Amino acid sequence: MDKSITAACLSALLLISCRTNNEVQKMIDKNLFGTLPDGQQVYSYTLKNKVGMEVSIINYGAAVVSLTAPDRNGKFEDIVLGYDSLEGYINDKSYFGSIVGRYGNRIGKGKFSIDGSNYQLTINDGENHLHGGINGYNKVFWNAEPVTTDSSQSLKLTYVSQDGEQGYPGTVTLQVIYTLNDNNELQINYTGVTDKPTILNPTHHSYFNLTGNQENTILDHELTINAENFTPVVKGLITTGGLAKVENTPLDFRKHEKIGLRINNDFEQLKLGNGYDHNWALDNYNGKLQKAVELYDSSSGRKMEVFTDQPGMQFYSGNFLDGTIKGKKNILYKLRTGLCLEAQGFPDSPNKPSFPSVRLNPGEKYKQTTIYKFSTR
Ligand code: GLA
């Protein structure tokens, strides 16, 4: 055969195989996770980075179903609670791993008004509205689109929430992009638009357990929250509308402290929450991304930092886990075996004029960036 033809063939072959390798490396794994009762298929999309971290997300509830991070010896383990099957997420009442909305957290009696119009939301937490209501964003099918770049993998999820859904005014289109980069950062970018004045306050609801063993509690995790103030609550965990100093209270996490150290203290706010279930008003809030939280587990060496551009951080210490929920690997999730760090506006802000507003008008764009960053020590 003519030598030049052979060379041309070889280089063409090389090109094809190179491109194929590249594409394989960049591809986001997509696997069928289950089928909803209406026949819609739910997939899990696994984002990977070059240093071995993996995050799997499903397009039902936009939920993170697993997240592996290395311990100080380089051992990768799953550090978020969840279920092995779609059925678990369909029946879930704990919001494991999901995006919650339209309004994350509580709205007193599910009532609020905008420009003189009163709205009644669905009631699903005693007499109050919690995490978007009976069928919040954690219970809906999201449109999913994987995106890759040279240094990161992303999943873009979109949900169109209809005017009147759960009682909220306006059709809201919310886009949530999860991105995993090579610095072991899971970044969540939210953008939202509406066609009528409404409220929008979505958040992410993963339950973390940095030990890597979901039989363990999170009570030995050390926590720092950069906040001098929190928003105290009354019965039903509805905020009073004011701020209180954390100083000299068990809610002072300005210096790292073990979560279990003061959780059972005789302190009214802790009794109301059956533990920690409060919103911290982050210091130096100015709408820009800043470090809000550090969480460390000395047994594994895993550390997680949370950065956000939001004013508030709900720290929930898994007080409603009671050993009855069968999670991954058939583990019955016991009290305080996972904790949530939910970046958001202040709870019940639509009814509390002194709290930062979460109102969204037509023509405006809601934006949030929150990053969960993993490392070891
Ligand atoms: C949030 C709330 C908690 C609880 C959980 C879900 O974090 O603040 O009170 O409702 O969600 O169980």
Side-chain angles (χ1 to χ4, degrees):
M1 205 198 290
D2 184 322
K3 271 192 185 153
S4 64
I5 297 179
T6 318
C9 286
L10 259 179
S11 61
L13 267 177
L14 267 176
L15 199 75
I16 291 169
S17 74
C18 280
R19 189 173 297 151
T20 316
N21 276 341
N22 247 335
E23 273 161 15
V24 166
Q25 197 187 13
K26 280 185 177 176
M27 238 167 47
I28 292 176
D29 281 349
K30 177 181 171 185
N31 292 298
L32 186 64
F33 193 71
T35 306
L36 291 171
D38 67 2
Q40 280 182 299
Q41 293 192 313
V42 174
Y43 289 90
S44 83
Y45 298 82
T46 303
L47 313 180
K48 296 180 191 144
N49 72 9
K50 291 192 179 118
V51 283
M53 219 182 118
E54 294 190 6
V55 182
S56 296
I57 301 150
I58 54 171
N59 58 334
Y60 178 74
V64 168
V65 297
S66 75
L67 189 161
T68 63
D71 69 4
R72 63 164 73 85
N73 301 315
K75 186 176 177 203
F76 283 83
E77 282 168 311
D78 187 6
I79 55 162
V80 292
L81 273 50
Y83 306 97
D84 285 324
S85 72
L86 179 61
E87 217 185 352
Y89 289 91
I90 294 173
N91 298 322
D92 168 76
K93 292 189 174 63
S94 308
Y95 306 85
F96 283 150
S98 61
I99 294 294
V100 297
R102 188 177 298 197
Y103 188 92
N105 219 309
R106 293 173 175 80
I107 296 182
K109 300 200 168 68
K111 289 183 194 301
F112 69 101
S113 60
I114 295 181
D115 299 337
S117 300
N118 298 324
Y119 297 99
Q120 177 64 60
L121 304 172
T122 56
I123 300 299
N124 62 331
D125 188 55
E127 57 177 12
N128 301 314
H129 176 88
L130 172 68
H131 290 336
I134 295 165
N135 257 317
Y137 294 175
N138 60 312
K139 295 285 181 201
V140 300
F141 186 85
W142 293 65
N143 185 48
E145 193 191 322
V147 183
T148 52
T149 71
D150 282 344
S151 57
S152 68
Q153 294 200 327
S154 303
L155 186 68
K156 194 196 278 185
L157 294 142
T158 311
Y159 176 63
V160 179
S161 165
Q162 297 301 329
D163 186 11
E165 194 176 292
Q166 301 300 307
Y168 291 100
T171 302
V172 163
T173 304
L174 180 65
Q175 194 176 75
V176 173
I177 305 178
Y178 286 100
T179 301
L180 179 65
N181 66 22
D182 293 332
N183 299 323
N184 283 354
E185 290 174 341
L186 177 66
Q187 175 160 342
I188 313 177
N189 282 98
Y190 306 69
T191 49
V193 290
T194 183
D195 63 357
K196 275 187 198 163
T198 190
I199 52 173
L200 181 59
N201 180 38
T203 189
H204 176 69
H205 213 284
S206 271
Y207 286 64
F208 298 97
N209 182 326
L210 300 185
T211 68
N213 177 354
Q214 303 182 355
E215 305 264 14
N216 295 331
T217 73
I218 46 79
L219 295 174
D220 283 339
H221 286 37
E222 293 163 32
L223 178 68
T224 313
I225 306 178
N226 297 331
E228 261 180 46
N229 297 288
F230 70 104
T231 53
V233 289
V234 295
K235 206 167 159 274
L237 296 178
I238 297 299
T239 48
T240 61
L243 293 178
K245 293 260 177 245
V246 295
E247 197 169 8
N248 296 323
T249 79
L251 278 78
D252 191 351
F253 283 100
R254 289 173 297 173
K255 293 204 181 86
H256 67 96
E257 206 59 86
K258 278 196 179 172
I259 291 167
L261 187 69
R262 301 164 299 181
I263 200 166
N264 294 318
N265 279 14
D266 187 10
F267 184 69
E268 179 68 8
Q269 287 293 318
L270 286 176
K271 285 189 187 153
L272 288 165
N274 190 31
Y276 294 105
D277 196 351
H278 298 80
N279 167 66
W280 273 253
L282 297 170
D283 290 345
N284 309 316
Y285 165 68
N286 63 2
K288 301 253 163 62
L289 199 64
Q290 60 164 340
K291 182 164 162 175
V293 170
E294 192 168 307
L295 184 69
Y296 175 66
D297 167 48
S298 62
S299 73
S300 63
R302 288 191 184 93
K303 178 171 126 180
M304 181 176 89
E305 292 158 278
V306 189
F307 301 80
T308 188
D309 56 11
Q310 292 299 292
M313 181 66 65
Q314 182 87 8
F315 160 43
Y316 165 59
S317 53
N319 314 312
F320 295 118
L321 302 176
D322 61 1
T324 58
I325 302 165
K326 194 185 273 184
K328 290 188 256 194
K329 297 184 182 164
N330 287 330
I331 295 173
L332 291 170
Y333 290 138
K334 293 190 294 269
L335 183 70
R336 299 177 181 145
T337 49
L339 67 91
C340 302
L341 289 159
E342 310 158 41
Q344 55 187 228
F346 296 177
D348 201 28
S349 49
N351 297 310
K352 305 286 152 66
S354 62
F355 288 174
S357 169
V358 297
R359 176 175 172 155
L360 183 70
N361 294 308
E364 294 172 351
K365 199 172 218 175
Y366 171 89
K367 282 188 183 171
Q368 180 192 150
T369 299
T370 297
I371 298 173
Y372 297 89
K373 178 178 179 149
F374 301 90
S375 57
T376 58
R377 207 165 82 201

